[in-house]
Amino acid sequence: MESTPPQHHTQDLGAMVGLFWIESGKTYLGMPPVPPAPGVLFSPAGVQVVGPDAVQCSWSDVTDLRVTEAPVRSTAARWVARAASVAAAALDAWVPGSPTEMTAVIAIDGNEHKTPVFSGASSAYTQREVDLSHGLLARFARGTSSPSVLSDWWYGDGRPSGVLPSRRREALLESWLRVG
């Protein structure tokens, strides 16, 4: 009798939408970190930097929040990079690269705290995704929105069964910006 291997569903692994990684019960800026690597975790109560230089603060203490060095490419450039990866894999010449490192800059009571986070995008984000993500981060810092809009999506109609196309990710970010 053959045993059935365990099935893993993409929906259980999380989803990248803009600069955010959303999974059951957690919302990250960039990819979820693998300890001891640093990472940034959001909750409705505040921001938590995990890793060697751990910091935790409430949203009322955050005066600014942004990401620098986010990898951005046009749709055409992302398709060319994807095609090159497929061709290299077919020729057995493909070696996966490391995720792009970005910098999360969190201003807490006027002091900037910088921490590296890794991009969740396989090649790059669209410029629109980055701009919409920064708009959402600004709303979190001003207290006019909460990361709960992302987790509400996950528990509501979210949990995609695969990688979301960039237009769908941009539409989600736009809808989250409209939620007050």
Side-chain angles (χ1 to χ4, degrees):
M1 179 192 285
E2 290 183 29
S3 64
T4 304
Q7 295 185 10
H8 299 283
H9 301 283
T10 303
Q11 66 192 32
D12 298 331
L13 300 177
M16 186 270 299
V17 180
L19 298 175
F20 307 98
W21 184 270
I22 308 155
E23 61 184 36
S24 185
K26 296 182 180 168
T27 300
Y28 295 93
L29 188 56
M31 285 179 50
V34 176
V40 177
L41 179 64
F42 295 140
S43 73
V47 179
Q48 180 180 5
V49 175
V50 297
D53 298 319
V55 173
Q56 189 166 354
C57 63
S58 68
W59 285 112
S60 62
D61 296 328
V62 176
T63 54
D64 189 31
L65 181 56
R66 64 188 183 281
V67 175
T68 61
E69 296 105 28
V72 174
R73 288 191 190 132
S74 69
T75 301
R78 286 183 293 118
W79 276 104
V80 168
R82 188 172 298 138
S85 294
V86 170
L91 297 171
D92 201 22
W94 181 70
V95 177
S98 298
T100 302
E101 185 175 293
M102 308 181 294
T103 302
V105 182
I106 307 164
I108 304 167
D109 292 329
N111 298 312
E112 283 193 349
H113 181 82
K114 296 180 181 183
T115 190
V117 295
F118 291 99
S119 168
S122 61
S123 60
Y125 303 100
T126 67
Q127 185 62 57
R128 184 154 174 70
E129 265 185 291
V130 173
D131 293 344
L132 291 167
S133 296
H134 278 127
L136 203 50
L137 290 170
R139 291 193 55 161
F140 294 166
R142 288 192 311 262
T144 57
S145 188
S146 166
S148 63
V149 299
L150 286 71
S151 54
D152 289 349
W153 167 79
W154 178 263
Y155 289 116
D157 63 349
R159 297 191 207 185
S161 60
V163 176
L164 295 170
S166 59
R167 292 196 195 290
R168 175 73 176 125
R169 295 189 309 261
E170 291 169 2
L172 281 168
L173 291 163
E174 288 172 337
S175 72
W176 294 336
L177 279 166
R178 285 191 297 267
V179 174

